[in-house]
Each structure stands twice: as structure tokens, then as C-alpha cells.
Amino acid sequence: MAGYRLFCLDEGGHISDRRDFDADDDDAAIAFARATYAHSNCELWELGRRVALIAPLKNAS
């Protein structure tokens, strides 16, 4: 398991929320981020490595 940090950004590009969590791999971490923050622009990091930029889902309700 690896430790990940998820930074969600507001419309101005500033951090509005942060969540630390563990996941088995990058794919699991991305899936968690998309499921948990479907309405937000987020950056997913593992240590000093940016894993993904995650855009809001278009059909998220």
C-alpha cells in the first residue's frame, strides 16, 4: 500500500480540500478520488510524484 494525497481545487486554483489515504496502486487511488470528489478538480499525489489531474465528472449529480 502506498500513501496518497488528494488536493481539490476551487475555481481560482487554490486548494479547497485535502485528503490523505492509502491505496494499493495508482489505479485504485484514482478510482477512490473520482468516487469521492466527483464534482471537483483535484490533483492526486504520491510522495513528490503527481499521479493524476482529475477533472469533475460531467454527469455527476
Side-chain angles (χ1 to χ4, degrees), residues 1-4 20-24:
M1 277 223 177
Y4 291 87
D20 297 348
F21 64 97
D22 293 326
D24 289 331

Side-chain angles (χ1 to χ4, degrees), residues 2 4 15 26 31 36 40 53 57:
Y4 291 87
I15 296 171
D26 290 353
T36 306
S40 301
L53 297 174
L57 296 175

